[in-house]
Amino acid sequence: MLSEFVLNHMAHLGHQATLPLNRQLYEALRRAMLDGKLTAGERLPSSRDLAHDLNLSRNTVMSAVSQLTVEGYLVSQVGSGTYVADSVPAANAATRSAIRSANRSDKRAQPGTALPRRSLSRRGRDLAHRFNASDLEVQPFTPVHADFSAFPVALWQRLQNRHWRHTLPDMLDYNHSGGHGPLRRAVADYLRVFRSVQLEPDQVIITSGTQQSLELCAQLLADHGDTVWLEDPAYWGAVKAFMATGLHLHPVPVDSQGMAPQPADHARPPRLVYLTPSHQYPTGAVMSLARRQTLLQAASQHNAWVLEDDYDSEFRFSGPPVSSLQGLDTDGRVLYMGTFSKMLYPGLKLGYLVVPKALATDFRQAHYDLNRPGQTPVQAALAEFIEMGHFASALRKARQAYAERRRALVSALQPALSPPDGPWLAGAEQGLHLCLRLPNRVDDQALAQAAARHNLTVRPLSAYCLARHDVKGLVIGYGYAPLDAIRHHGPVLARCIQDCLATH
Ligand SMILES: Cc1ncc(COP(=O)(O)O)c(C=O)c1O
């Protein structure tokens, strides 16, 4: 019944409840027409009856009706009454039945939300629902989260203020294609010396982070349906970037030396190969030199581009530094990317992509057109931060702090590592997380849930697997938790692991 619908709608107006009554009635009647409760040609009850049924003044009703008439929802016929105009779009049968079932299944449905949510595409559903990192609470041991408490905020503010004071008009425009020149030069100098990357500044593109670097590579180097080889287990961010660009994901297993393509993989030749050779995410494997050379040869044989994600090499705590894969490339087919998310702070949203010389102009142009780069003052401040040596010193301090945290975590986990066929630590001593491998019989998802009951966030390794069922373990972050917290919570986590092993 119309008055019932209108009253119900007005009772659930939420933030619109402060609108004048005539406007609330207008909204309710309009919704009744759009939802098919009142259809084209139908006669509206008289204003007197409506006012009586709704317990409103007649003036209120007449005001709402006259507004709907002005807007063409209603037509008034002298002596006969007011009708729903023919031009009001009829809610089709499918919509009506969807509305009915939505209303049936959600007793608390509010007016305005009663319409079925437009469904996402298949790709949209995958992007929204699979491999979600953002819903994990940040608490002790949440992987990949860094500690920003030591970031020199006052110094950073001073640098930024200086740029804002001096060059304001220029800085408000879009940034240059490729990013702010001094920052590109500073990044090039840093990468040449510390990561053995072969490059000139014009090969550097400042992006909003690895995610954007990956999207750009996928958009510019591959077509919809092309194949990308990626490590299994894999970094979720890369999985999403490739899903979003419509690539065919081909998982390639990772072993203790990194990505290990099998003969069967070559039957699905890649257009792109994405990997984390310096510290495989999440297993921590470092790709051996022999494997690097084999991989570059395979890429050359398939005429594929190699995307090297060097996300945390600055934090290596033991053993010789591992140089970039790009530094070994003699064929101009490796694109190298890094991020300031872990070295400084993620909200900065800055990363860099180094492209082969032959691609530099096209990448800069497309990056400009697709992303309209900005943030010149921030980039200028960062360039200065690097040039003045503050970056190196921040890295040094962070490296020491993370090394200490890692040692504390390993020591706290020792009791759980003792059985000979039990868990073991895999991968290099590097980065912000460690990978605890578990025997295949262990349910790592259940173990992560048990840890969550103690307010500890660890991720099951199997959750990163695309096609494999033989990889179990925990990805445990130590970047975010201060030393005291690691010493306090580490033994709790160790006991969870022991309890879980005892029942498997
Ligand atoms: C393998 C890998 N690459 C890149 C990133 C993040 O890069 P960004 O924040 O620049 O998107 C992460 C973050 O955890 C990561 O694990």
Side-chain angles (χ1 to χ4, degrees), residues 144 208-211 235 274 276 281 309 311 339 341-342 350:
V144 308
S208 66
T210 303
Q211 213 56 27
Y235 169 49
Y274 165 79
T276 46
Y281 191 83
D309 180 356
Y311 65 105
T339 176
S341 285
K342 294 182 201 330
L350 285 177

Side-chain angles (χ1 to χ4, degrees), residues 34-164:
L34 294 175
D35 285 4
K37 305 273 181 223
L38 277 173
T39 51
E42 208 169 315
R43 185 173 184 276
L44 211 63
S46 71
S47 55
R48 189 188 305 272
D49 287 349
L50 262 181
H52 176 264
D53 291 348
L54 300 173
N55 199 19
L56 294 172
S57 77
R58 216 171 141 205
N59 275 347
T60 301
V61 173
M62 282 171 21
S63 160
V65 168
S66 108
Q67 183 62 34
L68 288 162
T69 309
V70 169
E71 291 182 19
Y73 287 91
L74 298 173
V75 281
S76 177
Q77 289 181 9
V78 182
S80 157
T82 302
Y83 295 81
V84 179
D86 287 341
S87 53
V88 169
N92 66 31
T95 312
R96 281 200 206 130
S97 99
I99 294 165
R100 273 198 296 276
S101 73
N103 284 343
R104 237 181 281 124
S105 65
D106 182 3
K107 297 268 184 298
R108 291 160 304 140
Q110 305 279 303
T113 60
L115 274 174
R117 267 197 289 155
R118 288 189 203 290
S119 57
L120 298 175
S121 63
R122 212 167 337 114
R123 175 169 57 190
R125 281 198 298 275
D126 279 349
L127 288 171
H129 300 302
R130 292 180 62 197
F131 305 113
N132 291 113
S134 56
D135 53 1
L136 283 177
E137 208 177 326
V138 180
Q139 49 191 12
F141 308 134
T142 306
V144 308
H145 279 269
D147 179 7
F148 326 117
S149 57
F151 183 72
V153 175
L155 167 71
W156 185 242
Q157 261 168 356
R158 269 202 311 280
L159 290 176
Q160 298 226 46
N161 288 346
R162 203 159 64 226
H163 288 286
W164 278 105

Side-chain angles (χ1 to χ4, degrees), residues 94-344:
T95 312
R96 281 200 206 130
S97 99
I99 294 165
R100 273 198 296 276
S101 73
N103 284 343
R104 237 181 281 124
S105 65
D106 182 3
K107 297 268 184 298
R108 291 160 304 140
Q110 305 279 303
T113 60
L115 274 174
R117 267 197 289 155
R118 288 189 203 290
S119 57
L120 298 175
S121 63
R122 212 167 337 114
R123 175 169 57 190
R125 281 198 298 275
D126 279 349
L127 288 171
H129 300 302
R130 292 180 62 197
F131 305 113
N132 291 113
S134 56
D135 53 1
L136 283 177
E137 208 177 326
V138 180
Q139 49 191 12
F141 308 134
T142 306
V144 308
H145 279 269
D147 179 7
F148 326 117
S149 57
F151 183 72
V153 175
L155 167 71
W156 185 242
Q157 261 168 356
R158 269 202 311 280
L159 290 176
Q160 298 226 46
N161 288 346
R162 203 159 64 226
H163 288 286
W164 278 105
R165 264 199 309 275
H166 293 311
T167 33
L168 191 60
D170 245 22
M171 298 264 178
L172 296 183
D173 204 347
Y174 289 125
N175 210 328
H176 297 282
S177 67
H180 188 57
L183 179 58
R184 292 163 67 204
R185 281 193 289 281
V187 166
D189 291 344
Y190 169 75
L191 293 178
R192 207 179 292 116
V193 175
F194 290 98
R195 303 298 305 128
S196 308
V197 176
Q198 322 168 64
L199 79 167
E200 298 300 330
D202 68 346
Q203 290 171 255
V204 177
I205 292 166
I206 303 297
T207 63
S208 66
T210 303
Q211 213 56 27
Q212 192 177 75
S213 301
L214 287 168
E215 280 163 15
L216 202 56
C217 291
Q219 284 160 344
L220 297 188
L221 300 177
D223 286 313
H224 197 271
D226 278 350
T227 295
V228 55
W229 280 5
L230 70 175
E231 298 158 321
D232 192 7
Y235 169 49
W236 292 343
V239 171
K240 293 249 162 145
F242 299 137
M243 272 179 181
T245 35
L247 300 192
H248 172 80
L249 307 189
H250 181 84
V252 175
V254 166
D255 64 16
S256 62
Q257 294 182 52
M259 183 186 251
Q262 306 298 304
D265 294 315
H266 292 275
R268 187 88 208 201
R271 178 81 178 140
L272 303 178
V273 179
Y274 165 79
L275 73 171
T276 46
S278 299
H279 191 222
Q280 201 275 327
Y281 191 83
T283 65
V286 177
M287 193 174 229
S288 64
L289 180 60
R291 190 67 70 71
R292 284 168 191 242
Q293 282 164 336
T294 312
L295 199 116
L296 287 173
Q297 277 159 14
S300 166
Q301 174 198 333
H302 294 304
N303 197 21
W305 298 101
V306 178
L307 313 184
E308 176 179 16
D309 180 356
D310 197 21
Y311 65 105
D312 71 358
S313 304
E314 291 72 19
F315 303 125
R316 186 159 172 87
F317 313 127
S318 72
V322 184
S323 300
S324 66
L325 178 67
Q326 196 266 12
L328 292 176
D329 176 26
T330 52
D331 206 13
R333 62 176 64 253
V334 177
L335 292 93
Y336 172 96
M337 59 195 77
T339 176
F340 288 105
S341 285
K342 294 182 201 330
M343 297 190 277
L344 297 178

Side-chain angles (χ1 to χ4, degrees), residues 131 136 236 438-453 456 458-465 468-469 471-475 500 504:
F131 305 113
L136 283 177
W236 292 343
L438 292 162
N440 212 21
R441 63 189 151 82
V442 175
D443 180 349
D444 57 1
Q445 317 251 357
L447 175 48
Q449 281 161 12
R453 287 194 283 278
L456 303 177
V458 289
R459 286 194 197 142
L461 192 53
S462 59
Y464 294 87
C465 289
R468 297 175 71 175
H469 299 286
V471 183
K472 298 288 172 58
L474 292 182
V475 182
C500 176
H504 284 85

